[in-house]
Amino acid sequence: MRVCNLLYSFFLFILVSNLYLAQENKNVSVGININRPKNWDTTYYTSYSHKLNIYLGSSQLSYNFDVSSAYKHPYKYPININYTTNMPTNVSVGFSYDKISFGVGISKKYSYDSTLSKPKTSYDAYNFSFGGNKFIIEPYYVRFKGFYDANTPKNDTLYFKNTRRYHADPSMDIQSIKVNGIYFFNNKKFAYRSLSGFTYRQIKSTGSWLAIANIYYTKMKSDSVIYPKSVELAYDSVEKINQFSVYGLNVGGGYGHTFAFGKKKRFFIGFTAGLMLGYQNRVLYFKDSISVQESKMGSGFDVRLASGWTTDKFFMIVYASADRVILNYDKLKFITYTVPVNFVMGFRINVKPPKFYRWFMNTKLYSWM
């Protein structure tokens, strides 16, 4: 709650200071040239960097932890495990201005669980972005506690048919910290900020190759063994794992494209996708046994999708992403990933930048982004 209050306070500070500066006397020097020459192809995208974007919407966030085995086993039934969360729908509020953006969510009530077996997931989730159409940094932090196996109807068909209950692990706790950095090679024509942050608008369809790098830390912990009883025998060759932690560094590349439609190019569909390889250091813990530490190659991928309708004063956008970290141990594969889906409606206000932001606009870092 304290973090939410701080975010709201910062949001209100930016809004009030910008509105105040918008009313300043025109003779006051701002120390920069707001109408500086454009350093991109203006026939491909337009900028709203002089506007404060305020948006309200609804979001659905889930976290998945998939477990699979390549061991040969005599079982004919499925053995893959798909732990997922039981999350409420959020009401979200946020803002973006030029090269910065962030938002917060307010939880609504959980949906009724007819099986009475899905634990209510407690969670924290924060994200921030900083940068422009040339280079952007996107850090985030998430933590979830309370999971159930969505594959229970397949893994234990008779049990589920008789009880209509999922295998649940209320003690399972997963937290993840990641910082993504993306460079866009065709930044003179491709506006990533039209898909994220909404401070630009693509007015001609085009794409760009990407260079991606990230650092991350993920930790999973449970009071019990992570394998449900129905499939435990299929995993007994790798003992009784109940915890792991992994930190790593990935580097890779990808591609993004935005399609602009309509006579006035107000409707768009866009995406970015990247594949990465890198280094992982991980520690696996076995219930009532020793731990194992190792360093190996790792992999991951990142996909973003967005679609919407946008004008100089108003926008409606749906966007989603899938950001996966893959860990291989022996013949087991663990995949952790978030799946946020958001719908937002917002409006744009003409404002002048506050003093501290004007200083930033005169730095080399700003011009490079």
Side-chain angles (χ1 to χ4, degrees), residues 169-188:
D169 190 345
S171 71
M172 182 175 286
D173 187 306
I174 300 180
Q175 57 180 310
S176 183
I177 304 171
K178 177 175 282 191
V179 180
N180 280 321
I182 309 175
Y183 180 83
F184 305 91
F185 289 96
N186 191 24
N187 54 77
K188 302 294 185 183

Side-chain angles (χ1 to χ4, degrees), residues 17-192:
S17 61
N18 281 336
L19 291 176
Y20 172 75
L21 286 170
Q23 304 301 321
E24 283 186 329
N25 190 288
K26 295 182 180 179
N27 295 325
V28 177
S29 174
V30 297
I32 59 171
N33 179 14
I34 301 297
N35 297 316
R36 65 180 64 182
K38 305 296 188 298
N39 62 353
W40 69 87
D41 188 336
T42 57
T43 65
Y44 275 83
Y45 63 83
T46 187
S47 170
Y48 298 118
S49 59
H50 60 292
K51 297 192 177 195
L52 177 66
N53 301 286
I54 303 173
Y55 55 86
L56 177 70
S58 176
S59 62
Q60 181 65 54
L61 177 65
S62 63
Y63 195 97
N64 290 63
F65 172 39
D66 293 349
V67 184
S68 60
S69 172
Y71 280 99
K72 293 183 179 180
H73 56 84
Y75 310 105
K76 295 183 179 180
Y77 55 81
I79 65 166
N80 290 351
I81 306 165
N82 174 218
Y83 281 109
T84 190
T85 50
N86 179 21
M87 300 286 291
T89 300
N90 284 340
V91 174
S92 57
V93 61
F95 83 95
S96 61
Y97 182 75
D98 195 20
K99 299 185 185 296
I100 60 173
S101 62
F102 69 82
V104 295
I106 306 170
S107 298
K108 296 175 65 178
K109 292 183 179 180
Y110 289 83
S111 299
Y112 174 69
D113 172 23
S114 60
T115 71
L116 302 178
S117 59
K118 300 177 183 178
K120 292 182 178 180
T121 304
S122 59
Y123 73 102
D124 294 297
Y126 309 102
N127 62 82
F128 179 73
S129 67
F130 175 67
N133 294 317
K134 184 182 292 185
F135 181 76
I136 194 166
I137 299 173
E138 299 175 319
Y140 75 78
Y141 168 79
V142 293
R143 182 173 185 176
F144 300 85
K145 184 176 183 180
F147 288 76
Y148 70 95
D149 178 20
N151 277 355
T152 302
K154 297 178 181 179
N155 295 341
D156 200 346
T157 304
L158 185 61
Y159 168 79
F160 187 81
K161 182 178 180 180
N162 292 334
T163 66
R164 309 301 296 178
R165 294 178 66 84
Y166 290 90
H167 168 75
D169 190 345
S171 71
M172 182 175 286
D173 187 306
I174 300 180
Q175 57 180 310
S176 183
I177 304 171
K178 177 175 282 191
V179 180
N180 280 321
I182 309 175
Y183 180 83
F184 305 91
F185 289 96
N186 191 24
N187 54 77
K188 302 294 185 183
K189 296 181 178 181
F190 178 77
Y192 176 72

Side-chain angles (χ1 to χ4, degrees), residues 55-58 92 198 315-319 342-346:
Y55 55 86
L56 177 70
S58 176
S92 57
F198 326 125
F315 56 90
M316 295 188 299
I317 295 174
V318 178
Y319 60 100
N342 308 273
F343 169 75
V344 298
M345 299 176 62

Side-chain angles (χ1 to χ4, degrees), residues 11 60 92 95 145 194-195 198 202 205 222 232 235 254 259 297 309 320 325 331 338 342:
F11 166 73
Q60 181 65 54
S92 57
F95 83 95
K145 184 176 183 180
S194 66
L195 308 178
F198 326 125
Q202 196 79 42
S205 301
S222 174
E232 189 172 12
Y235 290 89
F259 301 91
M297 295 293 292
W309 182 80
V325 172
K331 291 188 177 182
T338 56
N342 308 273

